[in-house]
Amino acid sequence: MRHVIALDVGGTGMKAALAGPDGELLHQARRATGRERGPEAVVESILDFAAELRAYGAERFGEPAVAAGVAVPGIVDEERGVAAYSANLGWRDVPLRDLLADRLGVPVALGHDVRTGGLAEGRIGAGKGADRFLFVPLGTGIAGAIGIAGRVESGAHGFAGEIGHIVVRPGGSPCPCGQVGCLERYASAAAVSEAWAAASGDPEADAADCAKAVASDDPNAVRVWREAVDALADGLVTALTLLDPRTLIIGGGLAEAGETLFTPLREAVQRRITFQKLPNIVPAALGDSAGCLGAGLMAWDLLNHTDRTEVTP
């Protein structure tokens, strides 16, 4: 059974899989990053985990993996295979692709976590069949993946899709990026949690609690939720104006609220558009498997590209 190694590295944990040629996950595993031991320890954890997956695949399927794909957070130079910066992991300019390739002895593809998840959602998930899509996960922050004809655009410098840093409230709340009024300060799951904790007087309350209170018609929750949805719609309409996607895929923790989010969001976007075409606004389909699935797709894409290059005269 030909297979590839797929790794999705988060701030505190790693999800991994062995993926078959059609993207199916043949084996899955999880492990902590060990970031409390420092950035070098995280790199070693990734290399060790990948090596164990290679050994498992060789034993289980009679041959080792033929390639690997890894998704990491932060700023990623995909062309050079370098994890340029990650605040959560303490990384700066880590040549992760080459380190993994040396350890595994196979080609390795390195990608940004959100763009990698977007690749999977666009190709085999909620955006399947759409020639143009925008994937926006609403989690601790907000990022985006711009899908074009089966691939995801990374931009000239690796920053494409950073929709969370569109300014939607000029003069508003400071953002760690250095601007004020950024979308993720108002419409991320973290922002909704913060606003609802303040409004409810419960410091432990989070965005999921707010969504439940909205469903119960709590007026304070309705206000907090409406402000987040309005900010999100403002940011999305800016993105729609620039990108004109056919499908808009919303994922992340906030999307787990279902129609409590999607019904008012569709209405808010509809109210704001003038000449723009309203895309199909849908929830993400792959959940927390998207990163692994996308990493596997990257690995197969890399392998297929290498194969084509080798036979081209």
Side-chain angles (χ1 to χ4, degrees):
M1 168 70 76
R2 292 186 88 215
H3 62 277
V4 297
I5 294 168
L7 274 166
D8 179 17
V9 180
T12 58
M14 297 182 282
K15 295 184 285 289
L18 299 179
D22 296 322
E24 69 274 25
L25 301 183
L26 307 171
H27 168 72
Q28 297 183 67
R30 292 178 183 249
R31 180 166 299 178
T33 59
R35 69 173 182 172
E36 68 281 357
R37 294 183 285 117
E40 293 82 8
V42 175
V43 173
E44 283 304 315
S45 293
I46 293 169
L47 297 177
D48 290 346
F49 198 15
E52 288 175 22
L53 289 161
R54 182 184 187 279
Y56 178 87
E59 181 180 351
R60 171 89 178 269
F61 302 114
E63 61 176 324
V66 290
V70 57
V72 298
I75 300 169
V76 182
D77 185 333
E78 294 168 358
E79 188 172 334
R80 293 194 303 129
V82 172
Y85 174 72
S86 173
N88 287 338
L89 297 175
W91 283 353
R92 282 192 182 274
D93 297 322
V94 177
L96 192 58
R97 182 184 65 193
D98 290 347
L99 292 171
L100 274 166
D102 289 345
R103 185 70 169 267
L104 299 174
V106 297
V108 175
L110 179 69
H112 180 271
D113 55 355
V114 172
R115 289 195 290 269
T116 302
L119 177 66
E121 283 289 354
R123 197 177 292 180
I124 61 176
K128 186 176 180 179
D131 55 345
R132 298 287 191 281
F133 71 87
L134 177 62
F135 170 56
V136 181
L138 309 173
T140 303
I142 300 177
I146 303 165
I148 304 171
R151 64 181 183 83
V152 173
E153 174 60 43
S154 60
H157 308 96
F159 297 132
E162 289 292 346
I163 185 175
H165 298 290
I166 289 176
V167 174
V168 294
R169 299 291 180 264
S173 299
C175 179
C177 80
Q179 299 186 121
V180 295
C182 288
L183 175 61
E184 74 174 35
R185 293 297 299 124
Y186 296 89
S188 63
V192 174
S193 294
E194 183 181 331
W196 178 233
S200 66
D202 178 1
E204 301 299 319
D206 62 12
D209 297 322
C210 185
K212 292 173 186 173
V214 170
S216 301
D217 294 321
D218 182 298
N220 277 334
V222 169
R223 174 184 56 79
V224 167
W225 199 257
R226 183 179 62 247
E227 289 173 357
V229 168
D230 283 346
L232 180 57
D234 288 340
L236 291 175
V237 169
T238 298
L240 302 184
T241 305
L242 290 171
L243 301 173
D244 187 27
R246 199 172 306 279
T247 302
L248 174 57
I249 307 165
I250 306 295
L254 215 57
E256 293 175 8
E259 287 307 312
T260 300
L261 173 67
F262 283 92
T263 295
L265 179 60
R266 292 183 184 111
E267 293 170 354
V269 171
Q270 175 74 70
R271 288 196 305 270
R272 284 163 171 75
I273 61 172
T274 53
F275 65 89
Q276 303 94 332
K277 294 294 184 182
L278 183 68
N280 190 23
I281 302 175
V282 299
L286 302 177
D288 70 355
S289 296
C292 268
L293 289 163
L297 292 172
M298 282 197 309
W300 284 114
D301 286 353
L302 177 64
L303 196 65
N304 292 335
H305 175 75
T306 301
D307 289 346
R308 286 195 301 271
T309 301
E310 288 176 353
V311 300
T312 301

